[in-house]
Amino acid sequence: MEYTTLAKYIKEMRRQYNLTQANSSKKAVVGLRFVRELEQGKQTLCLDKVNQILNLCGTEVGPVPIPKE
């Protein structure tokens, strides 16, 4: 299974939907600085704001089971 960082996923999806960081921030009603920090991989973020951005692409953050080996 291939894992993608949240920052990379957000950036790829934003580009796929032809959105700039500024467009994304306006549509998701979050600050431009937040979008930039999110795409740069900031470690501490408010999940509600992350979900506002992810909702633009029809996704959201949620619990994912960790496979046991």
Side-chain angles (χ1 to χ4, degrees):
M1 177 181 280
E2 183 178 325
Y3 291 97
T4 300
T5 65
L6 181 60
K8 184 177 177 182
Y9 177 80
I10 297 277
K11 192 173 197 175
E12 288 175 0
M13 292 304 292
R14 178 178 59 76
R15 288 181 175 164
Q16 183 177 329
Y17 282 82
N18 295 316
L19 295 169
T20 63
Q21 287 180 335
N23 295 135
S24 296
S25 69
K26 287 178 185 173
K27 289 182 180 240
V29 193
V30 299
L32 178 57
R33 179 178 174 182
F34 179 83
V35 175
R36 288 180 176 156
E37 289 176 345
L38 175 59
E39 290 188 6
Q40 291 171 358
K42 183 177 178 188
Q43 295 291 317
T44 56
L45 297 165
C46 295
L47 285 180
D48 60 328
K49 288 185 178 183
V50 172
N51 277 331
Q52 284 175 251
I53 295 290
L54 288 171
N55 285 336
L56 295 175
C57 306
T59 57
E60 67 180 15
V61 172
V64 177
I66 299 172
K68 296 181 180 180
E69 292 184 25

